[in-house]
């Protein structure tokens, strides 16, 4: 019990650290990194690239911002990196200011991409190319390229992991609840589609049972991917539907949602003996520590250094007339155009492969994970 209290306190402390942005980022890429565009290709010549990021409260966006800044500066660009702390209007104002300040290119990871339509038009009118970073910019023809991960693939891999590891059968069914992402983020819809494709047959045959019935995305999404919202929804579900039976699987779309569910489960008295299979996304430092300790079962590792390097090639393309690598010209229809995209590969990680993938990949060191 003492151990549990200590673990909970540590989790709170780590969350606070993460929220302050104190978690060390993976080494920002510079020269010598295979993923980064070579400095010799550089002709940045002081051109200004403005990078609008959603929030510093989630570790991955800190990594993304740091990697983008380092790689762009390496090529001679001046970088204006700004975070909007999940405040939609603040992001609109930041982008307006970036345009007014003479940005030559805009890279945007949207909070609510529909809210950016006007400001994107302003950029287009001013002749400033726009690149979508990780999240698709919807309903605009002002966007030139999109660098992201295979977002449906993230859901597919979470779903496959559940199917392969939960051990549920028709004779021995398991309970599952879904904690999906933000409805204003196209990625959340794609992840959900990939996940459902995998688990729907088990729901249909009755080997997986969702006691709340909250299977539709409109019932299980989490506005702004917010940890507290997921915690409250999980508390409510546990009280209303799981008084007499354990919840066996929390299908969470992001590590922050997993932390919310963990708090709710601890509050409801779950212990190691009946702890559910919990999924996540981003392989945050804390989530990876949870994977090692067994508190979280798996996450999806997204190498933000690679994503930044692909995005930087797109910046070079629109500013210097180079050709970026594109590997998808079909999936990302934003309602106005199909945006030429590069999809990086998401990799599932659990206790069996985290050493090889995460430590071996130089994302976190053994020391960071042991702290
Ligand atoms: C990203 C995920 C991230 C989530 C919450 C999504 O758009 O693709 O990697 O976990 O936002 O920040």
């Amino acid at each position: 019990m003492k151990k549990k209290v200590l673990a909970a306190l540590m989790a709170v402390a780590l969350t606070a650290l993460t929220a302050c942005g104190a978690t060390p980022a993976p080494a920002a890429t510079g020269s010598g990194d295979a993923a980064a565009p070579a400095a010799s290709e550089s002709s940045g010549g002081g051109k200004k690239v403005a990078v609008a990021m959603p929030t510093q409260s989630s570790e991955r966006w800190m990594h993304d911002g740091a990697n983008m800044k380092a790689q762009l500066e390496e090529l001679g660009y001046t970088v204006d990196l700004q975070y909007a702390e999940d405040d939609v209007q603040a992001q609109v104002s930041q982008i307006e200011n970036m345009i007014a300040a003479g940005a030559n290119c805009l890279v945007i990871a949207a909070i609510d991409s529909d809210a950016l339509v006007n400001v994107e038009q302003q950029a287009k009118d001013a002749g400033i190319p726009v690149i979508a970073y990780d999240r698709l910019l919807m309903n605009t023809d002002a966007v030139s390229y999109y660098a992201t991960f295979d977002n449906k693939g993230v859901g597919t891999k979470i779903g496959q992991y559940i199917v392969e590891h939960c051990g549920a059968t028709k004779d021995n069914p398991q309970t599952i609840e879904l904690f999906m992402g933000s409805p204003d983020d196209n990625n959340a819809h794609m992840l959900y589609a990939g996940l459902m494709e995998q688990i729907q047959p088990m729901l249909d045959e009755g080997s997986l049972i969702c006691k709340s019935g909250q299977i539709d995305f409109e019932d299980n999404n989490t506005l702004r991917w917010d940890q507290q919202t997921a915690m409250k929804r999980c508390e409510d579900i546990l009280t209303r539907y799981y008084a007499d039976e354990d919840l066996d699987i929390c299908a969470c779309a992001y590590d922050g949602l997993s932390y919310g569910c963990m708090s709710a489960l601890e509050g409801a008295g779950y212990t190691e003996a009946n702890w559910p299979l919990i999924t996540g996304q981003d392989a945050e430092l804390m989530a990876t520590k949870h994977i090692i300790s067994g508190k979280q079962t798996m996450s999806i590792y997204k190498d933000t250094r690679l994503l930044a390097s692909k995005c930087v090639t797109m910046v070079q393309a629109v500013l210097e007339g180079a050709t970026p690598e594109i590997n998808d010209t079909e999936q990302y229809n934003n309602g106005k155009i199909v945006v030429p995209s590069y999809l990086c590969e998401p990799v599932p990680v659990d206790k069996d492969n985290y050493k090889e993938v995460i430590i071996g990949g130089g994302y976190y060191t053994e020391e960071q994970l042991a702290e």
Side-chain angles (χ1 to χ4, degrees):
M1 187 63 200
K2 261 189 191 155
K3 227 170 126 191
K4 281 234 153 258
V5 173
L6 187 66
L9 284 173
M10 280 177 68
V12 170
L14 277 165
T15 310
L17 276 177
T18 307
C20 300
T23 308
T29 44
S31 55
D33 190 298
S40 56
E41 295 164 15
S42 152
S43 47
K47 279 188 186 147
K48 200 193 277 182
V49 181
V51 181
M53 286 279 158
T55 177
Q56 298 182 83
S57 69
S58 156
E59 199 181 295
R60 74 151 288 184
W61 300 111
M62 302 287 291
H63 299 172
D64 290 273
N67 291 326
M68 280 298 291
K69 190 165 168 13
Q71 292 186 25
L72 286 165
E73 283 176 351
E74 175 101 358
L75 293 175
Y77 295 105
T78 305
V79 180
D80 176 9
L81 168 65
Q82 295 193 38
Y83 288 87
E85 307 318 333
D86 274 342
D87 178 334
V88 177
Q89 275 319 307
Q91 187 166 57
V92 172
S93 308
Q94 280 178 352
I95 296 171
E96 277 168 356
N97 291 337
M98 288 165 167
I99 294 170
N104 297 105
C105 174
L106 284 172
V107 175
I108 303 175
I111 297 166
D112 174 348
S113 67
D114 276 315
L116 301 179
V117 169
N118 290 341
V119 87
E120 284 151 0
Q121 186 60 43
Q122 281 174 39
K124 189 179 174 190
D125 294 345
I128 304 168
V130 176
I131 292 165
Y133 187 92
D134 192 79
R135 296 174 173 172
L136 186 59
L137 295 168
M138 304 301 289
N139 298 315
T140 177
D141 63 0
V143 55
S144 302
Y145 293 109
Y146 178 35
T148 190
F149 285 86
D150 175 359
N151 291 297
K152 185 171 178 213
V154 173
T156 304
K157 286 177 177 174
I158 292 176
Q160 279 168 346
Y161 194 93
I162 292 172
V163 170
E164 284 163 19
H165 291 82
C166 72
T169 61
K170 275 195 268 184
D171 297 331
N172 182 23
Q174 295 202 358
T175 55
I176 184 167
E177 294 295 336
L178 274 54
F179 299 87
M180 296 292 101
S182 195
D184 53 11
D185 182 346
N186 186 57
N187 292 354
H189 297 268
M190 296 195 79
L191 186 158
Y192 173 75
L195 171 72
M196 287 307 289
E197 228 169 64
Q198 298 303 312
I199 65 170
Q200 189 67 58
M202 291 183 79
L203 288 163
D204 290 344
E205 70 175 15
S207 50
L208 287 179
I209 299 169
C210 177
K211 293 189 78 180
S212 73
Q214 295 171 17
I215 281 292
D216 291 344
F217 184 79
E218 64 186 34
D219 297 322
N220 58 34
N221 68 70
T222 316
L223 186 63
R224 301 282 122 73
W225 304 83
D226 181 63
Q227 178 171 334
Q228 294 297 317
T229 307
M231 184 184 82
K232 291 206 180 79
R233 188 170 152 260
C234 189
E235 281 170 354
D236 181 56
I237 286 175
L238 292 175
T239 313
R240 287 172 63 188
Y241 305 101
Y242 292 90
D244 306 322
E245 203 178 332
D246 288 340
L247 172 57
D248 300 315
I249 303 163
C250 284
C252 297
Y254 152 58
D255 291 339
L257 307 180
S258 321
Y259 309 151
C261 288
M262 286 171 193
S263 305
L265 289 158
E266 273 166 358
Y270 279 70
T271 65
E272 241 173 72
N274 61 348
W275 198 252
L277 185 164
I278 303 180
T279 70
Q281 176 181 201
D282 287 351
E284 289 192 349
L285 183 62
M286 181 154 66
T288 311
K289 288 181 180 182
H290 285 329
I291 287 174
I292 297 168
S293 73
K295 220 172 155 188
Q296 185 166 323
T297 316
M298 64 87 70
S299 188
I300 298 288
Y301 167 63
K302 295 169 123 179
D303 187 343
T304 51
R305 300 164 298 184
L306 178 65
L307 179 62
S309 78
K310 294 299 172 191
C311 185
V312 167
T313 65
M314 293 171 176
V315 172
Q316 287 183 300
V318 293
L319 290 178
E320 328 291 346
T323 312
E325 196 183 348
I326 295 301
N327 62 9
D328 186 283
T329 50
E330 280 167 21
Q331 274 194 77
Y332 290 97
N333 185 332
N334 74 356
K336 278 263 157 64
I337 54 169
V338 178
V339 186
S341 307
Y342 188 91
L343 315 186
C344 303
E345 199 196 331
V347 181
V349 279
D350 67 0
K351 62 177 180 347
D352 294 332
N353 70 347
Y354 80 88
K355 278 195 181 151
E356 183 195 333
V357 176
I358 292 195
I359 300 177
Y363 208 65
Y364 304 131
T365 62
E366 208 149 1
E367 291 69 41
Q368 279 174 304
L369 290 169
E371 271 163 19

